[in-house]
Amino acid sequence: MLRNKNHKIGCIFRYFHKVSTRFCDQSYVHGATDIPLLNHTVADRFRIALEKEPDKPMVIFKQCGIQKTYQQVFDDARQFAASLIHLKLKKGDRIGIWGPNYYEWVVTKYAAALSGLILVNINPAYKADELKFALQKVGISAIISPMEYKTSNYYRTLTEVIPKMLQSQAGNGNVKSNNLPELKHVILFKTDKWFRGAWNFNELISSPGSSDFKLLDEYESKIRVDDPFNIQFTSGTTGQPKAATLSHHNVVNNAYFIGLRAGFDKNQEKLVIPVPLSHAFGFVIGLLNAVCHNQTSIFPSPTFNAKSVLKAINDEKPTLLYGTPTMFIDILNEPSLATTDISSIHGGMTGGI
């Protein structure tokens, strides 16, 4: 009798779960507007943009000499997503991206979007203790990072946090740490060398086979708009940083409606984005906003440099400039401003006041 009752309860639960999933777009309430909230995942918006203009430039990394179309970014992101699946990562696992604005940052972001992995933004200025806290706090399974940038040696910091990396073979990123039981993989980019305890990004991205792509398609088909997509840390000014989890629904609608307010649905824009991708300003209001409205994003340099911003404006003829107030002040005080053609710029986006 009890078994029969539990069976009926289970059937009822599964029925309501199916109904609620099907009509999840009707469970959200918005203010006075005729425009409904989008019921799209980050991967959905990427595919919509891809279908519209596959050959349009999606990102330009000026200092690195990289320009990629929507189709090229999509192909690279799928390839890297399948590479992560090849490492036995699965939908719902957390991967950390730690470093300044590089093309690999974008590839990792959309690899997570296409595979159902949860992307964790790690401040590129973090030192060893801060990095260890972030890795432990959210249970990161893999961390992707450049080998170094300027005075930051990311690999050395990783070996401080995970000393056992130095006992591993070069080019093998399988890691084990008593303090970080969930962390399984370290992946380094911007290097042609192989380091102990770390996979090489370029080598890894060529590793997946047909079975990995088959799993990738399966994982993407199971992503729902309310699934977590991104974890961002607060600044930690009142204690340890707090980890805020954002769903696909959160970030897509935030980006999309900011773009509508800025007229991105009516105008073809080229955005100069010198703010960090590790922050919501660059991550959501910048890059994702651009993708939601089929625009082009220009990254002048890995970290902010006023002279690099002006060179990007002079060379690429963008239409909108992003930046914090202090960034705008530095740009206005940059001596090369006097000889820079800024006539293409008609507006800007600022925050952090």
Side-chain angles (χ1 to χ4, degrees):
M1 186 73 177
L2 181 60
R3 183 180 178 182
N4 188 42
K5 182 179 180 182
N6 287 340
H7 175 72
K8 289 181 179 178
I9 292 172
C11 290
I12 292 170
F13 175 80
R14 285 191 293 273
Y15 169 77
F16 279 108
H17 175 73
K18 184 177 181 180
V19 171
S20 63
T21 301
R22 183 181 175 186
F23 295 106
C24 64
D25 58 323
Q26 298 180 12
S27 66
Y28 288 95
V29 177
H30 56 76
T33 176
D34 294 329
I35 306 172
L37 295 173
L38 295 178
N39 190 31
H40 293 154
T41 67
V42 175
D44 290 337
R45 293 308 307 184
F46 194 9
R47 287 183 178 278
I48 290 169
L50 179 68
E51 186 177 343
K52 286 182 179 178
E53 296 181 275
D55 297 324
K56 181 175 183 175
M58 174 176 161
V59 293
I60 299 171
F61 285 81
K62 187 68 180 172
Q63 200 171 88
C64 298
I66 294 173
Q67 177 171 313
K68 298 280 188 175
T69 65
Y70 275 86
Q71 185 67 61
Q72 289 170 323
V73 177
F74 179 80
D75 292 342
D76 289 346
R78 281 223 0 130
Q79 188 73 21
F80 189 48
S83 304
L84 295 172
I85 290 171
H86 186 73
L87 294 180
K88 308 303 180 186
L89 295 176
K90 59 187 183 300
K91 180 180 178 293
D93 284 346
R94 290 159 294 287
I95 59 170
I97 177 73
W98 182 41
N101 292 1
Y102 281 123
Y103 175 61
E104 290 82 357
W105 218 112
V106 176
V107 172
T108 302
K109 173 179 180 175
Y110 284 100
L114 291 166
S115 61
L117 293 166
I118 301 169
L119 187 69
V120 183
N121 299 6
I122 302 175
N123 189 323
Y126 273 2
K127 304 303 181 186
D129 287 346
E130 297 165 311
L131 174 64
K132 183 178 179 180
F133 172 82
L135 295 172
Q136 287 178 327
K137 185 69 176 177
V138 299
I140 290 174
S141 297
I143 182 167
I144 299 97
S145 171
M147 203 287 286
E148 61 183 356
Y149 178 72
K150 289 187 175 179
T151 60
S152 296
N153 190 312
Y154 292 103
Y155 176 71
R156 186 170 58 210
T157 302
L158 282 163
T159 60
E160 290 177 30
V161 176
I162 318 162
K164 287 186 177 180
M165 283 178 62
L166 296 174
Q167 300 172 14
S168 303
Q169 292 181 343
N172 187 331
N174 288 314
V175 296
K176 293 182 180 179
S177 171
N178 295 332
N179 295 323
L180 300 164
E182 276 112 347
L183 185 62
K184 302 295 189 298
H185 302 285
V186 172
I187 303 165
L188 294 181
F189 60 86
K190 290 298 174 202
T191 178
D192 294 327
K193 298 179 181 179
W194 283 260
F195 293 85
R196 290 184 177 275
W199 301 109
N200 181 285
F201 183 96
N202 292 332
E203 183 79 11
L204 181 66
I205 204 167
S206 63
S207 62
S210 58
S211 60
D212 301 311
F213 283 99
K214 184 177 179 181
L215 264 180
L216 173 58
D217 292 335
E218 180 184 327
Y219 289 165
E220 184 183 352
S221 70
K222 294 179 180 178
I223 301 172
R224 299 293 177 261
V225 294
D226 288 323
D227 285 349
F229 166 64
N230 181 222
I231 296 176
Q232 298 197 22
F233 285 94
T234 63
S235 61
T237 52
T238 58
Q240 294 282 19
K242 283 79 175 175
T245 301
L246 307 174
S247 69
H248 289 262
H249 190 270
N250 292 149
V251 295
V252 165
N253 281 284
N254 190 2
Y256 179 73
F257 280 94
I258 286 174
L260 283 187
R261 184 67 180 86
F264 285 9
D265 58 320
K266 300 180 180 67
N267 304 310
Q268 290 294 304
E269 306 284 5
K270 292 176 72 176
L271 320 176
V272 178
I273 306 177
V275 295
L277 282 165
S278 57
H279 190 275
F281 198 176
F283 185 87
V284 179
I285 303 170
L287 179 60
L288 184 56
N289 181 359
V291 172
C292 281
H293 296 282
N294 287 83
Q295 312 291 10
T296 299
S297 299
I298 303 166
F299 299 90
S301 52
T303 55
F304 173 72
N305 178 280
K307 190 173 183 177
S308 297
V309 171
L310 289 171
K311 178 171 174 51
I313 292 172
N314 191 79
D315 294 351
E316 301 297 335
K317 302 297 184 284
T319 54
L320 281 170
L321 174 60
Y322 278 56
T324 63
T326 52
M327 287 180 179
F328 280 107
I329 290 169
D330 285 350
I331 292 167
L332 290 171
N333 290 329
E334 167 56 41
S336 61
L337 175 63
T339 57
T340 302
D341 179 6
I342 60 172
S343 60
S344 63
I345 296 289
H346 69 75
M349 193 84 73
T350 192
I353 298 173

